[in-house]
Amino acid sequence: MPRILHIGIGNFHRAHQADYTARANNGDWRITGVVMGNTSLFQAMSDGGGYTLAVRGANGTESREISIHDRMIHAGRDPQAVIEAFADPDLHIVTLTITEKGYCLDPQTGTLDLNSDAIRADLSGQPKSAIGLLTHGLALRSSAGLPALTVMSCDNLSENGTKLGNALSKFADEAGLQLDPSTCFPDTMVDRITPATSEVTAPVITESFSEWVIEDNFAGQRPDWHISSAEITSDVAPFEKRKLRLLNAAHSWLAYAGQLAGYSFVHEAMADQTLNGAVEQLWDEAQLTLPTPVQASTPAYRAALVDRFAVVEMRHALEQIGADGSLKLRERIVPLINELELAPQAQKVVAAWIAFVLRKHEAKSALVDPNASTIAQIIETSDDVPKICSGLADLIGVRGVPDAWLADLTLQVQSLLAKGSV
Ligand code: CS2
């Protein structure tokens, strides 16, 4: 049976790709699931019984049983098993949902950060990070003379396939490994709102809306994903931009401004007139940066988002979306500031993030962000709010803004701090 190896089994993968694959193929593809470190999830998925996907639609909840993962690997306990799985002749595709931080990209250059702790450790011993495991796995496959694989990122990064391919070749060069030059790295846009759940055996909750746009760039066979309405196309960039700059951008605004205002869930923040009005302004700005192919459909896309964000039953936590902000804003908000002459609402999102981070710091409450220690250092070594603002804006990749922009940012942060609390 043809097989996919998926790195990063979590709710999103189980609500999105696994569902598309289960619906596409009358059961003729199987997935090997790699859990990076969540032992209870590993155990829950290892009994082969599958899981329940609860789809919350306008007419109530529809439940589906999905049982497509017939092999599980715990990468933390057995990293070598992940590498060896690449030498399976039935394997055709490797997919990933490892979130923005899993790529270990340098904030300045967007390429693999050879100095990040995970990559340094991988280069000096048994690889454990997704990037190290993938590169070693691909090298093993190539040395075994097996056909080239398709390696597909399913994370919210612009040009995710290109970034992944570049990261793996940089790692391979550094580690002296050979990759098959025919390996393909398609770009993808993935979309389905899927809240985190604390209980691993509980149904995975998701919305009825779902989109998947995949670049037609495969090394070998693939499931008939178009049957379950994935779109296979030559250029994913317009869809990727629209999704990151409308859906994800608004999510981040709601996450920081919403928590400062005392809300816990997306639907609550959306019901607030001020926050909701700002979402529309943010979308007006974002729309100016979207490419022609998606312009005509953008008003309908926006209207659908308003409905998607309003579903009470989703209970989509702002805290979940607010995690890893220094990496997320770089993808979804900073391009608006760098590309537009004026993007006042995008600037407000940065201000809300900074105010959120400052509140957390003041309260000595842990910030969930891979750059938490750098952020703390910027806050502690800057003697005033303007310096903190410029240090944090720089960290997320805001470039070449005039002093007046930073002064404005500072005023907004101060005004948010005077009002809100987290
Ligand atoms: C969210 C996304 O947590 C976040 O950062 O913006 O996970 C979002 O829900 C998905 O991209 C929707 O497809």
Side-chain angles (χ1 to χ4, degrees):
M1 247 180 214
R3 177 171 293 281
I4 298 170
L5 177 80
H6 182 77
I7 303 186
I9 297 287
N11 279 4
F12 181 72
H13 162 76
R14 293 190 294 165
H16 192 264
Q17 184 200 332
D19 184 35
Y20 275 89
T21 310
R23 285 189 288 121
N25 286 287
N26 307 315
D28 59 352
W29 278 72
R30 285 289 173 270
I31 301 178
T32 301
V34 177
V35 168
M36 293 308 285
N38 185 338
T39 302
S40 6
L41 180 61
F42 171 74
Q43 277 158 353
M45 290 290 293
S46 292
D47 68 8
Y51 59 97
T52 306
L53 183 66
V55 183
R56 301 249 196 269
N59 306 318
T61 300
E62 183 208 319
S63 286
R64 256 201 292 279
E65 297 304 318
I66 298 186
S67 168
I68 192 168
H69 303 85
D70 64 348
R71 195 180 296 165
M72 292 295 296
I73 304 174
H74 189 298
R77 282 188 193 155
D78 195 359
Q80 199 52 34
V82 181
I83 295 171
E84 280 158 20
F86 281 70
D88 179 346
D90 289 334
L91 183 68
H92 299 279
I93 303 176
V94 178
T95 51
L96 291 95
T97 46
I98 53 174
T99 79
E100 294 85 344
K101 60 180 171 292
Y103 294 80
C104 304
L105 300 179
D106 180 312
Q108 312 307 328
T109 61
T111 59
L112 184 70
D113 181 2
L114 295 173
N115 287 320
S116 73
D117 294 346
I119 299 301
R120 271 161 60 153
D122 277 10
L123 286 169
S124 61
Q126 166 72 52
K128 290 203 177 104
S129 82
I131 296 295
L133 292 170
L134 265 162
T135 319
H136 279 266
L138 288 171
L140 175 68
R141 176 145 187 123
S142 170
S143 67
L146 288 162
L149 293 173
T150 301
V151 185
M152 190 158 84
S153 161
C154 298
D155 282 298
N156 289 322
L157 297 173
S158 60
E159 299 175 345
N160 53 10
T162 312
K163 283 181 179 150
L164 174 62
N166 290 341
L168 298 186
S169 3
K170 195 165 169 186
F171 187 99
D173 286 349
E174 206 59 25
L177 297 169
Q178 290 298 321
L179 303 186
D180 184 336
S182 310
T183 310
C184 290
F185 299 96
D187 279 332
T188 65
M189 185 283 282
V190 293
D191 190 8
R192 194 168 210 185
I193 294 174
T194 308
T197 37
S198 47
E199 180 46 60
V200 291
T201 52
V204 176
I205 292 166
T206 196
E207 59 176 342
S208 49
F209 182 97
S210 186
E211 254 189 356
W212 196 10
V213 184
I214 308 170
E215 184 189 2
D216 192 356
N217 176 20
F218 284 79
Q221 40 175 306
R222 60 173 181 243
D224 295 324
W225 280 319
H226 61 277
I227 293 178
S228 35
S229 26
E231 194 175 329
I232 317 275
T233 172
S234 58
D235 188 10
V236 176
F239 302 97
E240 207 172 60
K241 283 205 169 110
R242 179 174 67 183
K243 194 254 171 168
L244 280 165
R245 297 178 183 194
L246 295 175
L247 187 154
N248 297 113
H251 255 172
S252 288
W253 160 251
L254 295 168
Y256 303 117
Q259 287 183 87
L260 285 165
Y263 300 117
S264 302
F265 297 105
V266 171
H267 68 270
E268 293 172 351
M270 270 306 268
D272 179 300
Q273 286 313 309
T274 311
L275 298 186
N276 184 307
V279 166
E280 294 291 343
Q281 281 170 31
L282 182 63
W283 286 344
D284 287 344
E285 285 170 19
Q287 200 167 335
L288 298 172
T289 72
L290 296 183
T292 318
V294 291
Q295 277 293 344
S297 56
T298 294
Y301 187 91
R302 286 173 56 161
L305 275 182
V306 170
D307 293 340
R308 293 171 67 192
F309 286 176
V311 183
V312 179
E313 294 75 21
M314 291 293 287
R315 295 183 71 75
H316 194 189
L318 297 174
E319 199 181 355
Q320 177 189 348
I321 300 167
D324 302 348
S326 69
L327 298 182
K328 288 180 178 173
L329 293 198
R330 176 179 292 277
E331 292 289 337
R332 29 181 102 169
I333 296 294
V334 174
L336 306 184
I337 295 166
N338 289 345
E339 288 174 30
L340 290 169
E341 207 159 309
L342 274 178
Q345 190 53 46
Q347 183 188 41
K348 275 198 188 125
V349 183
V350 177
W353 173 66
I354 296 178
F356 172 84
V357 157
L358 283 171
R359 277 258 180 255
K360 286 260 180 200
H361 190 78
E362 213 173 73
K364 297 198 172 26
S365 122
L367 181 70
V368 183
D369 193 303
N371 287 315
S373 59
T374 311
I375 292 170
Q377 203 183 1
I378 292 172
I379 297 174
E380 280 154 22
T381 55
S382 313
D383 33 26
D384 55 18
V385 180
K387 284 224 181 66
I388 295 175
C389 288
S390 83
L392 292 179
D394 189 57
L395 177 73
I396 61 170
V398 174
R399 294 281 169 267
V401 286
D403 289 348
W405 189 92
L406 285 168
D408 239 22
L409 179 70
T410 307
L411 283 179
Q412 287 177 26
V413 170
Q414 282 163 336
S415 118
L416 280 164
L417 287 175
K419 283 187 274 177
S421 67
V422 224

